[in-house]
Amino acid sequence: MASDSERATVRTYIPAYQKEQWQAHAEELDMSQSEFVRTMVQAGRSGFEPPEAGSSGATDDGAVEPHSPDATPGGEALKDRVQDILADGDYYEWDDLLAELTDDIEDRLEDALQELQSENEVQYSGRHGGYVRDE
């Protein structure tokens, strides 16, 4: 089993124009190209969602994957998402841009609350008009 600090090489082939774009973006973020690619891959893999409570960080094969440090240095993930949305050249009003960024938050919140209620960790009270931890 590899240690957390052991490094390995990953090689991929991309069009030259894409490499130039990645290099420019990495420079803007004051990152090395390797750090940029690693960060973007990790951000894409996580879907910008925090791990579920109690998650061990285990991969599909059962191995535990260490947390990649600085997955979004300087909080760049949100800025990157905004840039990606605006990349199509269209103008977005504030509400439309906000909707693009929070596209499925309501569904995710509902799913989380239903799961927490089924596990008797949260309950809804109509009398009090809201949710509360069930301790």
Side-chain angles (χ1 to χ4, degrees), residues 43-54:
R45 289 185 67 228
S46 67
F48 301 104
E49 296 176 4
E52 293 179 16

Side-chain angles (χ1 to χ4, degrees), residues 51-100:
E52 293 179 16
S55 172
S56 66
T59 59
D60 292 341
D61 63 0
V64 175
E65 181 177 353
H67 172 68
S68 178
D70 299 319
T72 56
E76 298 294 327
L78 180 58
K79 291 196 299 191
D80 290 341
R81 288 188 65 197
V82 170
Q83 291 284 22
D84 289 344
I85 293 166
L86 297 176
D88 62 13
D90 290 341
Y91 286 86
Y92 286 79
E93 291 184 14
W94 175 268
D95 290 339
D96 295 333
L97 189 54
L98 184 60
E100 287 286 327

Side-chain angles (χ1 to χ4, degrees), residues 3 21 27-28 51 57 69 71 73-74 80 88 90 99 111 120 129 134:
S3 71
Q21 290 174 341
E27 287 176 18
E28 288 173 20
D80 290 341
D88 62 13
D90 290 341
D111 292 345
N120 295 320
D134 190 9

